[in-house]
Amino acid sequence: MKLLEVNNLTMAFGGLKAVNNISFHMEEGEIISLIGPNGAGKTTFFNMLTGIYIPTEGSIVFNGKNITGTAPEKIIKEGIARTFQNIRLFPHMTVLENVLVGMHSRSHNGLFHSLFRTKKFYQEEKRNAYKAKELLATVNLADKCNEYAKNLAYGQQRRLEIVRALAAQPKLLLLDEPAAGMNPQETEALMKYIRGLKDKGATILLIEHDMKLVMKISDRIYVLDHGVKIAEGLSKDIQNNQDVIEAYLGKGA
Amino acid sequence: MKKVFVFSLLMMVVLSVLLAGCSTETAAAPDATEEITIAVAAPLSGDYAQYGNAFRRATELKAEEINAAGGILGKELKLTFLDDRNDAREATNVAQRLVGDKKVLGVIGHFSSTASLAASSVYEEGGLVQLSPTTSHPDFTKQGQYMFRNINTQAVEAPIAADMVVNLMDKKRIAVIYINNDWGITARDHFVEAAEALGGEIVAEETFIGGQTQDFTSTLTSIHSKNPDIIFLGTFYAETGMIAQQMKQLGYDYPLAGLSSLYNEELIKLAGDAVEGLYMTSNFFPGDERPAAKEFVDKFRDAHGQVPNQFAAVAYESLGMLAGAIETAGEDRAAIRNELAKIADYEGVTGSITFSKDRDVIKEMSIIKIQNGEFVIAQ
Amino acid sequence: METTVEHVNKKKKIIKRRSMIYVGVLAGLLIIPLLSLNNFTMRMVIMAGTYMILAMSLNLITGYTGQLSLGHAAFYAIGAYTSAILSMRFGWSFLITAPAAALMAALVALLLGIPTLKLQGAYLAIVTLGFSEIVRIVALNWMGLTRGPMGIPGIARPEVLGYRIASNTQYYYLILALVIITYMSLYRIINSRLGRAFIAIREDDLAAQSMGVDILKYKILSFTIAAFFAGLAGSFYAHYVTYIDPQSFTFNESIQVLSMVVLGGMGSMPGAIIGSVILTWAPEMLRFLEDYRMIMYGAILIVMMPIRPQGILGGIRFKLDKEEENQHEAVGSE
Amino acid sequence: MFFQQIINGITLGSIYALTAVGYTMVFGILELVNFSHGSVYMFGAFLCLTLMTALGLGFFPAFIISIVITGMLGIVIDRLALLPLRRKNAPKVASLISTIGISIFLQNLVMVMWGSETKNFPLALNLGHIQFNSFRISYLQMIILLTSLILMMGLTLLVKKTKIGKAMRATAQNMEAAKLMGINVNLIITFTFFLGAALATVAGVMVGMYYQSVDPMMGFMAGLKAFAAAVLGGIGVLPGAILGGLIIGVSETLAAGYIHSGYRDAIAFAILIAVLLIKPTGLLGQKVQKKV
């Protein structure tokens, strides 16, 4: 069944159409990559999916429900979680707390339970802390629990951000350039990690510039340029697509 | 362990600050010192510092006189000045400090009702005389047995002003501008009541927040549309300067009248001919020919190069009365209170002073006006 | 990996040490009046306690949630007036007027917060400032309710369970209880899902939103909780000084509390406490300077900030906070 | 009466506008809620008065000297109090507290130096007025409005057309990037403070002259109103400061004239809040696009 279906999505800022009439769909369990040169509208597309921008036109149907224009804090409850291109962790919170904030939408302790430290409060806190630590262990951050996020190394911060998004138990994970700034070894590890997620049944939409990574793990690829979808298909089709080569290297290449 | 250390350090800081606080004050019982201490508590910084400074200059002058004449009970009078910034909270701190300092035998202060009323419960509990030269709030002396004031409440002054406006000046249609504080409101209430009883008609009542409002044009324009005969001012000199100036700029020409609060040489400098012909009631007037007043004005002028205003005058005589009470009662706070309450016909610079059984005063008032850029007696 | 036995032992040790610290601090605080401090010192301690409540609560908005409020005095005033009016008109006791005052302040904050907390930075700052001016001006003019500038004198001294509070020692224990209640409540809120949401908003509101934090809702919640405690402080103040008027709740009061929070360290509860102690005492300690007192006060603020811009205790995280989390883990992994 | 009230409102508004132009200037570049502006404004007025009365200077020389001296005071304030904070990347609120410290310091310094009484400020530009049927306008009122408009245009030109103006805008947009582009950010900020303080003096002197009085607390409310006007118009938008000042002035005047004089400031603030609820970034402020 289709997990995500996007129809004729358009986002205009003033006269400029950052995303123009894009249709798009995803099946459960797929890894799909969104590629294209800088300024192609990829991140804008993510921002519409996560409710940060309200599309000028078009609709987003997720899991059979129209979520166009839903606020970001509700989108995550629907099951879409994301990371950011320029890492946006909570720098003065510990690693563990960052992950716990990721669980916000899946936990319930309110004022009453917090204030009176009820049994329910402790149960949830313990459960969450346990789960968070399990998740952190999957990216080798278990021993950094009480470090401030700002004190982590760059690659660790990237991993923490992914874990924070996973903590919300999303049906669809959006990763915005997760390999940016990583060295080849780190990229390799990241690739394995993403594959591991897929094996556990995760559905992932990826924006990435690292073509090697994209080609190796994507089930399908969408290519954007100047807000328009110029190609879609399997990895090898895209590699040989004339339009894509032109978009990346300029005409006449 | 480090954090535990930080935490204990924190507690130590708190405790040492507390202990340092104790040492700033001598909690010792009164010993046979050669000094008699009286405190003056008033705003010496902040918006109202000018009034506190008037207190300070006048009481310093009086203390010099007393010491020159041999002091109190043969000991030297020492004044201690405490700044309350005209802030209720700080006034209570000051009061508590003074109550705890057994050397202090009485307090001259505070300046305004905010400070005086907030501090009064502390003075009352500590059994220390609080003689405020200026607090006119009707509830002030009801706070306890140790509260005294040396100024007419508006229950006394405003009807005199109403009589001045309606009968002496013969103006019937009256617009009132009053400052939105306890003094201004009481003044307005008593003035309006008395003026209406005398056959006057109040055509407008306008207010403003002291120290905050500088622009009176809209108020004056509204008043102008009511076509009054006179504008009566329940205000202080600083605003009055602006009101008069702006009235002139707007091209309105109404006679002005006000209360003793307007008396300040600076008013004429501020407003020039815009206040020419202004009538006001007066507690104290430097042109007063009585010897007590004349002597005070001369001495004050010599010491500070300026003419004293009424705030200085009432502070000056307050200290005189308190010193007199100590002379008779000795160094006992309760006895001083009882002696002070008995004071009758004290010859002060504002006239003869007698405390009523509620520790209020009733003073004679004169009417003065501004003529050729000078304050002169009108009646 | 540690064994289960080690875990349990570690946990016990942590709990033991923690309770020892708490007991020690509490004992220290309880015996302060027995040091036979004079009334003036006691008054200053009590005043510092009142400001601790104000500063800790403002810290929740400004320090933890990252929203600049310049109008904390408004809620302080609302609390004081609610308490004074209920006590004068209906003769209600402190045990009723204090919660009523706190709830009233919280209610007003809620109503103000719903439309305004979507504003950011300086825009929010001016709105809170403007609101506190409005509150003061209404208090000045609404004679029928507040007696305007005449103020409310003779507010009844508190009676707690038939026990009349009158001396400074008794007031000390009352304010101590209130400070502890405030500290405990705020501590629990901050170290919970709510607190993490607040801090996340401060750290990065967009990321917080993307993680499911309803920013507006949590800002309103933070604002309302803070107002609740400011109202409580106001109620205590009214029943302690026994006279209130609008002059006591000016903009300067908001600024004073904000200075305490920033000086002590934003986002640090002990910081807010230290800040209140220092700035309550500073004007009294500087009295010997006479006329130059307030000049020095200003200079101290100017000099202190660059020395520790994050505040005295800002950025220092007490182990106590973290231990609680570790403890969850330990239990969770058993 | 209505026309007169509108004139009254515009005059009061232009006083606010004059103060707000300088305020919004510093505000726009540093995003700093600056509580020292009001006290610098007061200091400038006292300085000018002293130069006139104690040294017997004429109005214009005194005016210009006090602008320069107070401008330098602005530099001192920045270098001593705020630059150390920028060096340490301190939070904005820390700078806010520093400006509060400066304002307490200056107010009390002036009080110790010149006393706390309200002092007469001579009406050096007594130019009379024009009388219409039912209302009148004085030339001084027009000069105040004109001055604020001229300052606004001058500053706009400065910011848009000159090299230093471009550097100022770059600094406002992104301090780090400006640094990388080789702009001496601290110099630019210090210059902004010089300008801000000089503008505050212009306002302080003009207002002192208009009311013919100065006192040490005069800057407090003026500073708050300038802050309000600057925010209402949109932070850092120069024409916005004028518009904001005029709106606050007129609404305050009409509130005092037709509703209740005791509630004038409350009504002005209520209008401010209401406008911000509709336009959360001020009347002329740009809607900020979320950066992701």
Side-chain angles (χ1 to χ4, degrees):
Chain A
M1 133 190 197
K2 284 202 178 84
L3 182 66
L4 177 68
E5 194 170 357
V6 171
N7 301 312
N8 310 96
L9 208 61
T10 299
M11 182 77 218
F13 297 106
L16 181 82
K17 284 184 174 170
V19 170
N20 194 357
N21 198 26
I22 288 185
S23 296
F24 174 92
H25 69 94
M26 274 184 95
E27 308 289 329
E28 231 164 279
E30 271 189 314
I31 295 185
I32 290 186
S33 288
L34 209 53
I35 63 169
N38 283 325
K42 305 181 300 277
T43 297
T44 308
F45 186 70
F46 263 32
N47 287 341
M48 286 189 284
L49 289 185
T50 51
I52 292 170
Y53 294 157
I54 297 169
T56 326
E57 275 171 55
S59 69
I60 305 165
V61 179
F62 181 72
N63 213 12
K65 190 174 168 189
N66 186 343
I67 57 161
T68 323
T70 307
E73 66 267 18
K74 295 197 179 109
I75 290 278
I76 197 167
K77 284 205 183 92
E78 298 295 336
I80 304 180
R82 72 175 291 180
T83 67
F84 295 87
Q85 186 179 349
N86 45 343
I87 307 172
R88 299 186 81 133
L89 289 166
F90 307 118
H92 295 92
M93 294 177 92
T94 64
V95 168
L96 183 70
E97 284 169 332
N98 267 277
V99 182
L100 290 173
V101 174
M103 292 176 174
H104 187 89
S105 60
R106 300 273 165 229
S107 41
H108 309 280
N109 272 334
L111 188 57
F112 177 83
H113 293 289
S114 307
L115 213 46
F116 296 101
R117 290 291 194 251
T118 57
K119 209 175 154 196
K120 184 177 164 294
F121 172 85
Y122 283 115
Q123 281 171 351
E124 189 179 285
E125 287 283 299
K126 281 171 196 164
R127 200 170 53 232
N128 283 351
Y130 181 64
K131 269 196 269 174
K133 231 187 147 187
E134 266 187 348
L135 273 171
L136 284 168
T138 63
V139 291
N140 297 327
L141 286 173
D143 55 332
K144 302 281 184 194
C145 269
N146 292 330
E147 292 279 340
Y148 276 144
K150 63 167 184 172
N151 295 337
L152 292 186
Y154 180 82
Q156 293 173 326
Q157 294 198 4
R158 283 268 177 224
R159 284 172 357 228
L160 175 57
E161 214 191 7
I162 296 174
V163 166
R164 186 180 68 180
L166 284 174
Q169 300 169 350
K171 294 191 186 78
L172 169 63
L173 180 64
L174 309 184
L175 300 177
D176 198 343
E177 298 193 27
M182 283 187 169
N183 61 34
Q185 288 85 356
E186 284 173 325
T187 311
E188 186 70 24
L190 178 74
M191 190 156 70
K192 273 190 193 143
Y193 184 67
I194 295 176
R195 278 222 180 100
L197 292 176
K198 181 187 158 76
D199 293 344
K200 283 184 216 150
T203 314
I204 296 170
L205 178 58
L206 186 73
I207 294 178
E208 190 46 70
H209 281 301
D210 187 325
M211 281 304 146
K212 223 173 103 198
L213 175 70
V214 169
M215 294 304 163
K216 275 190 186 163
I217 64 173
S218 310
D219 293 317
R220 283 187 294 132
I221 296 175
Y222 283 80
V223 188
L224 300 190
D225 186 27
H226 290 101
V228 186
K229 183 171 74 186
I230 56 170
E232 65 173 290
L234 302 175
S235 308
K236 58 176 188 303
D237 302 336
I238 296 297
Q239 258 170 325
N240 302 321
N241 184 308
Q242 198 56 37
D243 290 342
V244 177
I245 295 167
E246 267 177 28
Y248 268 92
L249 303 173
K251 274 198 169 35
Chain B
M1 243 19 230
K2 205 177 92 200
K3 299 302 160 70
V4 180
F5 171 74
V6 174
F7 214 88
S8 18
L9 199 71
L10 199 144
M11 286 314 297
M12 268 176 58
V13 171
V14 174
L15 279 174
S16 55
V17 168
L18 292 178
L19 295 173
C22 311
S23 62
T24 59
E25 188 184 335
T26 41
D31 51 339
T33 50
E34 293 307 302
E35 284 174 352
I36 297 280
T37 307
I38 293 178
V40 179
L44 298 170
S45 66
D47 310 25
Y48 293 82
Q50 50 180 306
Y51 303 109
N53 282 322
F55 277 22
R56 168 149 65 184
R57 288 172 190 154
T59 50
E60 271 174 352
L61 187 64
K62 185 72 189 177
E64 268 170 40
E65 284 171 28
I66 291 172
N67 287 331
I72 304 175
L73 299 167
K75 296 179 182 180
E76 192 186 342
L77 167 61
K78 184 176 154 252
L79 292 182
T80 165
F81 295 95
L82 288 107
D83 176 18
D84 65 18
R85 286 193 285 154
N86 202 41
D87 173 284
R89 181 176 46 85
E90 195 143 336
T92 59
N93 293 346
V94 164
Q96 194 82 65
R97 191 184 270 264
L98 293 174
V99 163
D101 185 348
K102 296 297 174 208
K103 286 190 301 188
V104 173
L105 297 177
V107 178
I108 307 286
H110 298 230
F111 168 70
S112 79
S113 316
T114 297
S116 290
L117 268 98
S120 62
S121 66
V122 180
Y123 288 119
E124 181 66 16
E125 222 151 89
L128 181 62
V129 164
Q130 179 191 13
L131 169 53
S132 172
T134 47
T135 301
S136 61
H137 193 298
D139 292 338
F140 170 59
T141 47
K142 294 183 191 136
Q143 297 300 300
Q145 297 300 311
Y146 282 83
M147 279 76 240
F148 293 76
R149 75 172 115 225
N150 182 27
I151 195 156
N152 278 336
T153 62
Q154 285 306 311
V156 177
E157 182 173 3
I160 298 176
D163 182 62
M164 168 183 86
V165 169
V166 179
N167 293 329
L168 181 68
M169 298 175 78
D170 196 24
K171 306 290 183 199
K172 301 292 187 270
R173 293 175 58 80
I174 308 163
V176 180
I177 301 179
Y178 62 97
I179 186 167
N180 199 349
N181 64 21
D182 61 286
W183 176 87
I185 285 182
T186 341
R188 176 206 61 183
D189 289 348
H190 289 289
F191 177 83
V192 167
E193 193 190 337
E196 283 175 345
L198 291 168
E201 185 195 345
I202 306 298
V203 296
E205 286 181 28
E206 297 287 344
T207 187
F208 66 95
I209 300 176
Q212 182 165 332
T213 306
Q214 285 194 310
D215 175 81
F216 293 91
T217 52
S218 64
T219 299
L220 289 166
T221 305
S222 304
I223 285 177
H224 179 63
S225 72
K226 305 280 171 48
N227 192 25
D229 298 334
I230 188 168
I231 299 177
F232 177 76
L233 301 167
T235 58
F236 288 80
Y237 81 90
E239 320 57 272
T240 305
M242 288 189 244
I243 292 171
Q245 283 288 5
Q246 290 171 28
M247 191 175 85
K248 195 178 140 205
Q249 268 177 21
L250 287 165
Y252 306 150
D253 187 24
Y254 295 109
L256 297 173
L259 295 159
S260 55
S261 54
L262 299 187
Y263 181 79
N264 192 312
E265 293 292 334
E266 202 69 32
L267 173 64
I268 296 170
K269 286 189 209 146
L270 285 175
D273 56 354
V275 288
E276 185 67 21
L278 179 144
Y279 274 72
M280 58 192 266
T281 52
S282 166
N283 275 315
F284 166 74
F285 165 60
D288 196 331
E289 290 301 315
R290 282 176 304 112
K294 227 171 142 58
E295 194 191 334
F296 166 62
V297 173
D298 291 343
K299 279 187 187 163
F300 195 94
R301 198 190 279 121
D302 290 346
H304 302 294
Q306 61 177 176
V307 176
N309 56 19
Q310 71 153 337
F311 303 108
V314 287
Y316 179 85
E317 27 178 55
S318 297
L319 181 58
M321 290 188 283
L322 186 56
I326 297 173
E327 187 75 53
T328 343
E331 298 178 45
D332 176 77
R333 285 177 174 182
I336 292 168
R337 183 239 157 242
N338 295 334
E339 273 312 313
L340 194 59
K342 284 185 214 157
I343 280 186
D345 304 322
Y346 176 87
E347 272 314 308
V349 293
T350 64
S352 166
I353 303 167
T354 302
F355 284 113
S356 72
K357 69 176 191 338
D358 299 321
R359 288 152 278 103
D360 292 335
V361 289
I362 296 179
K363 297 188 187 187
E364 288 169 35
M365 302 204 82
S366 47
I367 306 283
I368 58 177
K369 67 175 174 183
I370 298 178
Q371 197 171 28
N372 301 324
E374 268 179 61
F375 289 99
V376 296
I377 289 276
Q379 194 194 36
Chain C
M1 282 302 276
E2 292 171 278
T3 66
T4 315
V5 180
E6 275 168 351
H7 256 307
V8 172
N9 282 343
K10 198 175 160 195
K11 185 185 122 199
K12 276 184 183 162
K13 227 170 103 189
I14 289 167
I15 292 177
K16 199 175 155 200
R17 200 174 67 194
R18 200 157 62 131
S19 33
M20 267 172 66
I21 293 173
Y22 279 144
V23 169
V25 170
L26 188 65
L29 291 171
L30 282 174
I31 60 161
I32 281 183
L34 304 180
L35 302 174
S36 70
L37 302 173
N38 59 44
N39 265 316
F40 170 70
T41 309
M42 287 305 289
R43 172 170 286 271
M44 294 305 294
V45 172
I46 292 165
M47 274 303 174
T50 317
Y51 277 109
M52 283 176 199
I53 299 178
L54 288 168
M56 285 191 285
S57 58
L58 180 64
N59 200 9
L60 187 68
I61 309 174
T62 301
Y64 287 96
T65 319
Q67 309 301 310
L68 179 58
S69 164
L70 296 177
H72 214 47
F75 306 109
Y76 184 39
I78 289 169
Y81 269 101
T82 307
S83 212
I85 291 166
L86 291 178
S87 151
M88 298 303 279
R89 293 251 171 105
F90 306 109
W92 291 4
S93 91
F94 180 73
L95 278 189
I96 305 173
T97 59
L103 284 173
M104 186 62 154
L107 185 69
V108 174
L110 182 68
L111 293 177
L112 175 71
I114 289 170
T116 60
L117 281 167
K118 63 178 185 193
L119 298 176
Q120 292 183 336
Y123 295 100
L124 179 65
I126 193 76
V127 164
T128 50
L129 191 165
F131 176 72
S132 87
E133 279 294 289
I134 292 174
V135 167
R136 186 174 66 88
I137 293 168
V138 169
L140 264 177
N141 287 287
W142 192 353
M143 296 292 289
L145 184 72
T146 64
R147 293 180 21 110
M150 308 303 285
I152 302 179
I155 301 163
R157 299 212 174 268
E159 223 169 272
V160 179
L161 308 171
Y163 190 72
R164 192 163 173 275
I165 308 268
S167 76
N168 272 329
T169 305
Q170 291 162 330
Y171 272 112
Y172 172 80
Y173 286 116
L174 181 60
I175 192 73
L176 179 62
L178 295 179
V179 169
I180 289 174
I181 290 172
T182 309
Y183 184 91
M184 294 267 290
S185 310
L186 291 176
Y187 179 87
R188 287 178 162 192
I189 288 168
I190 290 159
N191 293 287
S192 75
R193 176 170 168 266
L194 298 182
R196 288 191 297 268
F198 295 155
I199 300 170
I201 292 171
R202 174 191 77 192
E203 294 285 297
D204 187 329
D205 56 352
L206 190 79
Q209 206 182 8
S210 296
M211 289 302 120
V213 177
D214 184 338
I215 313 183
L216 187 60
K217 179 181 143 193
Y218 280 92
K219 280 187 197 169
I220 292 170
L221 190 60
S222 161
F223 200 58
T224 308
I225 295 170
F228 179 90
F229 288 106
L232 189 65
S235 169
F236 175 83
Y237 177 82
H239 287 279
Y240 178 49
V241 177
T242 72
Y243 171 75
I244 55 166
D245 71 351
Q247 274 281 99
S248 313
F249 308 100
T250 57
F251 174 60
N252 283 329
E253 208 70 4
S254 300
I255 286 298
Q256 170 97 346
V257 177
L258 183 66
S259 308
M260 290 168 176
V261 171
V262 177
L263 189 74
M266 287 202 297
S268 161
M269 296 268 283
I273 290 176
I274 283 276
S276 341
V277 172
I278 292 177
L279 289 190
T280 308
W281 279 90
E284 291 299 321
M285 307 296 259
L286 296 174
R287 273 200 189 281
F288 69 95
L289 293 171
E290 299 188 351
D291 286 4
Y292 300 91
R293 177 169 78 121
M294 293 315 289
I295 297 182
M296 186 52 97
Y297 183 83
I300 287 175
L301 284 185
I302 300 171
V303 172
M304 292 280 275
M305 288 328 297
I307 295 175
R308 266 191 84 78
Q310 71 276 51
I312 296 169
L313 297 181
I316 296 180
R317 198 140 156 162
F318 285 86
K319 209 164 191 174
L320 293 178
D321 302 9
K322 286 190 198 165
E323 273 160 10
E324 192 158 359
E325 284 149 18
N326 279 332
Q327 189 196 334
H328 298 158
E329 282 166 52
V331 177
S333 48
E334 266 162 35
Chain D
M1 166 173 155
F2 182 73
F3 281 113
Q4 185 64 55
Q5 290 293 32
I6 292 290
I7 299 286
N8 294 340
I10 291 174
T11 306
L12 183 62
S14 43
I15 286 169
Y16 293 156
L18 186 58
T19 323
V21 168
Y23 194 97
T24 210
M25 178 80 210
V26 178
F27 204 4
I29 295 197
L30 295 179
E31 282 174 43
L32 168 67
V33 178
N34 180 3
F35 282 105
S36 68
H37 194 78
S39 52
V40 170
Y41 155 103
M42 175 273 303
F43 184 86
F46 264 90
L47 188 65
C48 183
L49 175 65
T50 310
L51 291 174
M52 283 161 73
T53 52
L55 300 184
L57 293 180
F59 172 70
F60 284 104
F63 191 32
I64 287 161
I65 294 173
S66 56
I67 288 174
V68 174
I69 294 181
T70 316
M72 290 193 291
L73 174 72
I75 296 180
V76 172
I77 288 175
D78 181 54
R79 291 276 142 164
L80 282 186
L82 300 170
L83 180 64
L85 287 172
R86 279 202 300 281
R87 287 238 166 90
K88 292 195 170 183
N89 253 333
K92 292 255 159 59
V93 191
S95 313
L96 184 153
I97 299 295
S98 277
T99 63
I100 287 169
I102 293 160
S103 120
I104 295 176
F105 181 86
L106 274 182
Q107 259 168 31
N108 287 281
L109 184 74
V110 165
M111 230 174 258
V112 169
M113 281 165 64
W114 283 297
S116 48
E117 280 95 359
T118 304
K119 293 199 169 38
N120 171 45
F121 196 103
L123 185 61
L125 301 176
N126 193 358
L127 305 165
H129 56 82
I130 320 174
Q131 179 78 47
F132 295 89
N133 262 345
S134 60
F135 58 94
R136 64 158 72 173
I137 305 172
S138 81
Y139 284 104
L140 187 58
Q141 290 174 342
M142 287 192 264
I143 289 176
I144 287 176
L145 185 56
L146 267 178
T147 310
S148 49
L149 288 173
I150 291 168
L151 286 178
M152 177 201 84
M153 288 187 282
L155 289 171
T156 309
L157 281 180
L158 176 84
V159 169
K160 292 247 160 93
K161 301 283 173 200
T162 65
K163 206 176 152 198
I164 194 159
K166 278 179 192 147
M168 284 162 91
R169 276 188 296 155
T171 307
Q173 291 242 322
N174 188 334
M175 218 172 267
E176 287 310 308
K179 248 179 230 168
L180 294 176
M181 300 295 288
I183 294 172
N184 185 343
V185 168
N186 281 325
L187 188 73
I188 294 297
I189 291 173
T190 303
F191 175 73
T192 311
F193 262 89
F194 172 83
L195 212 56
L199 292 169
T201 307
V202 174
V205 170
M206 302 277 290
V207 175
M209 188 162 62
Y210 178 68
Y211 290 129
Q212 293 173 49
S213 68
V214 291
D215 72 277
M217 302 307 292
M218 70 187 268
F220 179 71
M221 252 299 143
L224 286 193
K225 290 281 167 68
F227 178 28
V231 174
L232 182 60
I235 294 172
V237 186
L238 292 165
I242 306 257
L243 186 63
L246 289 175
I247 289 176
I248 291 178
V250 171
S251 57
E252 198 183 311
T253 304
L254 293 182
Y258 294 97
I259 303 174
H260 189 292
S261 46
Y263 282 103
R264 59 187 294 163
D265 288 330
I267 292 166
F269 275 119
I271 288 173
L272 170 75
I273 294 175
V275 170
L276 286 180
L277 292 183
I278 299 161
K279 293 271 297 174
T281 50
L283 288 169
L284 302 185
Q286 297 288 316
K287 192 167 181 267
V288 205
Q289 190 66 52
K290 286 174 206 160
K291 289 177 201 163
V292 185

